[in-house]
Amino acid sequence: MTAPPATLKNCRYFINKTFHSPLTPIFDAMFLSSHFRVALCSIFFLLCASLLPAQEAADFILHNARLYTVDGQFTIAEAVAVRNSRIVAVGSSKEILKNWKAAQTLDAKGKFVYPGFYDAHAHLYNYGQMLGYADLQGTRSYKEVLERLKAYRKANPQARWIIGRGWDQNDWAVKTFPAKEPLDALFPDVPVCLTRIDGHALLASSKALALAGITEETRVEGGLVEKINGKLTGIVLDNAMDKVYMRIPSPSQQEIETAIQKAEQRCFAVGLTSIAEAGISHELVETYKKLYAEKRLDMRVYAMLTPTDENVDRYLKQGAYQTDYLTVRSFKVLADGALGSRGACLLAPYSDKPSTRGFLTIDPAWMERFVQRVSKTPFQVNTHCIGDSANRLILDLYGKYLGMFGRTKRWRIEHAQVVSRDDVPKFREFGIIPSVQPTHCTSDMPWAGERLGAERMKTAYTFRDLYEQRGLVAMGSDFPVEDINPLYGFHAAVARQDADNKPTGGFQRDQALTREIALRGMTLYAAFAGFEEQLKGSLEVGKLADMVILDEDIMTAPVEKLRRVKILTTISGGKIVYKQK
């Protein structure tokens, strides 16, 4: 074995330069020995290596990217190193590759990297369930609904119920609620339950109504069973819907877990790495814990519990719970219904139906007792408020019991859809976080003005005003009410336009959010709204390495292209969980 000539020459030059003079002939003679040459070169390389900085070990390196850290200065970097699922270094590609080594590296090829997207208000399990239902979204008439149901029944002949979701009469030429008679004629022997797109109304067949014990005499506080000329139409709203849902056979544990895993994969495919589950049971929380313990789930979940007496007693006693994957420290309350089904509680009557102002779905006295109790704990109260009356009631209750501690409690208003001008400042005064869904605005634009009237419409979907009160806004979609793709919400927030880029110039353009605010709204602000900003929401040292790579830069791309930007790769904790084929 001999040293390469170039190495030998360098070694000899180094020795002669260091020890030159009378010793040079002696060293020249010694170099005639090949063993000596090899040993001496080895010592030389060890000496040189000791003078170089050692590379630190990482698990994963991403480099050659335009990487939006979404930190306090909105810094743009090129690369990150990840160890044990957390970011250990952020910087230029040259710096990271020089100082770190990893078994897995990913060259982003100059593409655009953002913190993993976070949907601040969604229904992950329900979405997974819905993947097995008749899909009624996008139907343009009741006739089309019936055609889809026939196809669904043909594909699922053994199903004990026909369950569908997604219809919206506001998209039809005839904008009245559908009736149950066509369902009775097509499916006389099987109960049918079809939930409206917003989840606040359903259409049930006569068989389903009978199983639920719903008759013309049925009355439900905070809900409505519709009758025309004293006869049931099949339409059931809000709290009354539970009577129907309780009769639907419960899924097995395996079916629940499969639904969650299917939903997770759909979410990863659109760049989502964290989801706020808006209103779930104790049993579902335990299912999430089980899936995490068995390493069968990577989606991070912020759980809002349904405020049953059992849940409240159990969790206030147990205290807040947080891991890298699951946060449990909030309750989700429904204060009213939805605008599309006229269940949202308004201060003045609906412009297109003066006989109603909608209704509350809670007893205000119960809500006050609940707020008072939870205000003494670390738990958050996150309340669904659509109408201006519901928003006023809840904001005032929050303020009464939070007082000067509002900002530290981080209580939330979910949706904050119609808020009177007098009530907007209460978000600042009481430190309340607005949690909004920008695609609700663009989906509702064609008909919301009819419900609210021109003047009241000016106080609806005022995302910029809400942001300026609190200095942040958490953004979500409320899927499956809306599409799960967070880029649709980003587009709606910054352009105030729908999928067809209408209206020209944007709806109430003064309420648009900047791109930086919108990006923070679906990353860092969403994390802050759940006490998770130390874990995620930005690409900083010490935080979880949740990232998404896009093929175009949403911070500069033309607005009309934002909904078409492709997700190339989704990364959770430094692990690739989705890659575009």
Side-chain angles (χ1 to χ4, degrees), residues 50 73 133 137 143 186 188 256 362 410 451 561:
S50 69
Q73 293 72 44
Y133 295 167
Q137 294 186 79
K143 180 180 179 181
L186 285 171
I256 293 171
I362 52 167
R410 303 189 196 180
R451 297 281 194 277
K561 294 182 68 175

Side-chain angles (χ1 to χ4, degrees), residues 116-170:
F117 297 144
Y118 189 150
D119 193 311
H121 184 112
H123 306 277
L124 184 68
Y125 168 59
N126 287 347
Y127 175 75
Q129 265 191 315
M130 198 185 79
L131 296 175
Y133 295 167
D135 182 5
L136 307 180
Q137 294 186 79
T139 49
R140 311 305 297 182
S141 66
Y142 189 23
K143 180 180 179 181
E144 186 177 350
V145 168
L146 299 175
E147 290 301 319
R148 292 197 191 184
L149 292 178
K150 286 191 285 187
Y152 177 82
R153 185 58 177 171
K154 184 177 180 180
N156 299 273
Q158 303 304 317
R160 289 180 286 172
W161 280 63
I162 296 176
I163 305 173
R165 178 162 180 158
W167 61 271
D168 185 353
Q169 83 285 359
N170 293 310

Side-chain angles (χ1 to χ4, degrees), residues 126 161 193 195 199-202 204 208-209 211-214 218 220-225 235-249 279 306-308 334 361:
N126 287 347
W161 280 63
C193 174
T195 303
H200 288 271
L202 64 79
L209 293 173
L211 287 171
I214 294 176
T218 299
V220 178
E221 190 70 27
L224 176 70
V225 176
I235 292 294
V236 182
L237 271 61
D238 291 298
N239 289 352
M241 297 163 60
D242 289 340
K243 288 183 168 293
V244 180
Y245 289 152
M246 287 173 63
R247 304 305 302 176
I248 297 174
T306 52
T308 62
L334 277 170
T361 53

Side-chain angles (χ1 to χ4, degrees), residues 281-325:
S281 66
H282 164 68
E283 290 77 14
L284 195 55
V285 169
E286 293 304 308
T287 294
Y288 279 116
K289 288 182 179 180
K290 176 177 182 288
L291 290 171
Y292 293 134
E294 296 172 357
K295 299 188 184 306
R296 295 166 55 204
L297 196 70
D298 291 304
M299 179 61 62
R300 306 189 199 280
V301 170
Y302 164 84
M304 305 184 204
L305 296 154
T306 52
T308 62
D309 290 342
E310 181 183 3
N311 277 348
V312 174
D313 291 341
R314 172 186 282 113
Y315 285 95
L316 291 189
K317 181 179 179 180
Q318 291 180 359
Y321 175 89
Q322 188 172 69
T323 68
D324 285 356
Y325 285 101

